[in-house]
């Protein structure tokens, strides 16, 4: 593990994790171009024009300014969101990532239409606030701002598992996040301190400028790649 790096960051550095990035070659290529990977999901986009959006974007820009940021494939600002519940995706046609009562070869478009039907009248579980708890090379780790917010966020996941027809293995311990980028290559170990210093400074910035990240209500979305998530219906 690189010296001076928190254990949660070690996997982003070559010395601790020499394996190729998980999604490289399927979700994006070595030039940082995002590839076709259709699916659907439930996300909360950032509130356009909000102070917290400005803070999040500033952190993203500071990361992009790092001299070795070319090792990361950044998604567009317009795509920034927190995933509320993972839907289905083309490359993951297997249980338990797919509803047991639907054939595994059902088209993505047909699955999206099915979920629109199943989500008709979905009530939701109420509003919640989130805060940033950590920054990593791929973006922000967030959590409910209070105990009640965390309870509501768990309730959303439990409720959405019914129309979606499955629970992912990480259903109960899913780590909420706002993705900025995906790793193309692992960062060099000797860059660990510089990245850690950046993250510490950015956490301080967000604590002052965006103690709560303003999010739009959860929406069921379709996508063809990681660059855009089209809101089809707002839930609750």
């Amino acid at each position: 593990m690189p010296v001076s790096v928190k254990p949660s960051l070690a996997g982003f550095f070559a010395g601790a994790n020499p394996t190729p990035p998980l999604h490289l070659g399927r979700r994006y290529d070595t030039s940082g171009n995002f590839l076709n990977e259709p699916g659907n999901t439930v996300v909360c986009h950032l509130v356009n024009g909000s102070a917290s959006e400005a803070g999040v974007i500033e952190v993203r820009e500071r990361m992009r300014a790092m001299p070795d940021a070319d090792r990361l494939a950044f998604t567009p600002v317009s795509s920034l969101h927190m995933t509320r519940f993972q839907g289905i995706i083309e490359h993951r046609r297997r249980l338990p990532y797919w509803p047991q009562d639907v054939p595994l070869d059902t088209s993505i478009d047909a699955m999206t239409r099915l979920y629109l039907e199943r989500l008709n009248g979905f009530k939701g579980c109420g509003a919640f606030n989130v805060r940033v708890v950590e920054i990593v090379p791929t973006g922000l780790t967030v959590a409910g701002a209070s105990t009640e917010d965390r309870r509501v966020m768990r309730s959303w996941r439990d409720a959405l598992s019914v129309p979606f027809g499955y629970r992912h293995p990480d259903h109960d311990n899913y780590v909420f996040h706002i993705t900025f980028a995906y790793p193309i290559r692992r960062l060099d170990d000797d860059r660990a301190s510089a990245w850690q210093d950046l993250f510490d400074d950015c956490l301080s910035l967000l604590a002052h400028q965006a103690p709560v990240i303003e999010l739009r209500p959860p929406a069921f979305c379709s996508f063809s790649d990681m660059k855009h998530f089209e809101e089809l219906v707002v839930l609750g």
Side-chain angles (χ1 to χ4, degrees):
M1 183 176 68
V3 177
S4 301
V5 171
K6 297 177 182 178
S8 56
L9 299 180
F12 296 100
F13 291 87
N17 187 8
T19 61
L22 176 63
H23 299 294
L24 182 63
R26 182 176 60 201
R27 182 163 295 178
Y28 56 95
D29 63 22
T30 55
S31 298
N33 301 307
F34 286 90
L35 308 174
N36 187 60
E37 189 185 26
N40 53 55
T41 186
V42 176
V43 309
C44 299
H45 283 102
L46 302 185
V47 174
N48 294 336
S50 64
S52 60
E53 182 195 46
V56 169
I57 292 173
E58 181 171 347
V59 171
R60 177 182 177 276
E61 291 307 304
R62 290 188 183 188
M63 289 175 58
R64 290 186 67 211
M66 293 290 277
D68 46 349
D70 60 349
R71 296 188 176 211
L72 301 170
F74 282 83
T75 58
V77 167
S78 60
S79 75
L80 294 175
H81 65 272
M82 184 197 78
T83 300
R84 182 90 289 282
F85 189 90
Q86 310 103 298
I88 54 93
I89 195 167
E90 179 62 45
H91 75 265
R92 204 159 50 195
R93 292 176 172 271
R94 62 187 184 276
L95 302 178
Y97 306 99
W98 199 275
Q100 291 187 0
D101 60 339
V102 182
L104 293 173
D105 59 354
T106 305
S107 73
I108 298 297
D109 287 344
M111 291 297 297
T112 297
R113 291 192 297 270
L114 173 65
Y115 284 143
L116 282 171
E117 294 175 4
R118 291 186 177 184
L119 290 166
N120 184 31
F122 183 85
K123 298 300 182 183
C125 300
F128 54 87
N129 292 317
V130 302
R131 62 184 180 90
V132 177
V133 295
E134 188 175 28
I135 304 176
V136 296
T138 50
L140 310 178
T141 302
V142 302
S146 69
T147 300
E148 176 61 13
D149 291 319
R150 293 190 287 275
R151 184 197 68 78
V152 172
M153 292 170 76
R154 288 194 300 271
S155 296
W156 270 96
R157 286 185 66 78
D158 289 343
L160 285 166
S161 71
V162 176
F164 277 85
Y166 51 73
R167 288 183 175 226
H168 283 210
D170 64 356
H171 179 89
D172 293 322
N173 57 5
Y174 181 76
V175 177
F176 295 100
H177 57 278
I178 298 174
T179 297
F180 289 172
Y182 292 90
I184 298 172
R185 290 182 291 157
R186 305 297 180 195
L187 300 170
D188 288 335
D189 290 12
D190 61 7
R191 294 286 299 153
S193 294
W195 279 96
Q196 187 64 71
D197 289 346
L198 172 70
F199 296 151
D200 290 343
D201 288 345
C202 288
L203 270 178
S204 297
L205 180 153
L206 291 174
H208 174 72
Q209 185 172 333
V212 171
I213 304 299
E214 298 169 81
L215 298 173
R216 283 154 47 184
F220 177 60
C221 300
S222 64
F223 57 87
S224 59
D225 55 37
M226 296 296 111
K227 296 186 296 183
H228 179 69
F229 296 80
E230 183 69 22
E231 293 192 1
L232 302 177
V233 60
V234 177
L235 303 177

